[in-house]
Amino acid sequence: MTQLLGDGKGIFVGASRSYSAGRRPFGVVLSDLNGDNLDDAVVSDSELGEIRLFINKGGALSVTQTLKVGQQLRGMGVADFNGDGRADVVVTDSADDKVVVLIGKCH
């Protein structure tokens, strides 16, 4: 995964940063996962059946957690599914025909 920072006017500035996102990254969603008003990233790996949580540290991302959630991950999204004001992650697994919801605990 490569991160490019924008200047807010449609121009990318500075050097890009690369991060390991697994063997076969399939999708990425952005959301404030820890309540600091910065967009964090969740990346799914379709080959390993894992998601990786990247927390935004003010421009640089840091992998904080890798979770095995299925076999062949396809779709992914972030929303507050249980109404507690925190971001939750939902992932579809086509190998097991299931939807996995991970309830967020940060804030």
Side-chain angles (χ1 to χ4, degrees):
M1 176 175 70
T2 301
Q3 176 189 28
L4 300 168
L5 299 177
D7 66 357
K9 300 175 187 172
I11 304 291
F12 293 109
V13 296
S16 64
R17 295 184 176 128
S18 294
Y19 303 92
S20 174
R23 286 191 198 158
R24 190 167 297 203
F26 187 80
V28 62
V29 293
L30 304 175
S31 183
D32 180 11
L33 300 174
N34 59 354
D36 63 359
N37 294 319
L38 298 173
D39 280 337
D40 307 303
V42 182
V43 179
S44 65
D45 184 320
S46 64
E47 183 174 323
L48 297 176
E50 299 175 342
I51 62 168
R52 292 180 185 214
L53 307 177
F54 292 84
I55 298 300
N56 188 339
K57 302 288 186 182
L61 299 174
S62 174
V63 176
T64 59
Q65 201 168 15
T66 300
L67 301 167
K68 176 79 172 171
V69 295
Q71 300 299 317
Q72 293 176 345
L73 307 183
R74 295 294 179 234
M76 186 172 49
V78 175
D80 180 9
F81 292 100
N82 61 350
D84 66 357
R86 297 178 182 136
D88 307 311
V89 177
V90 63
V91 183
T92 60
D93 180 356
S94 63
D96 294 331
D97 293 329
K98 68 180 179 180
V99 174
V100 177
V101 178
L102 303 164
I103 303 299
K105 299 292 182 192
C106 289
H107 277 263

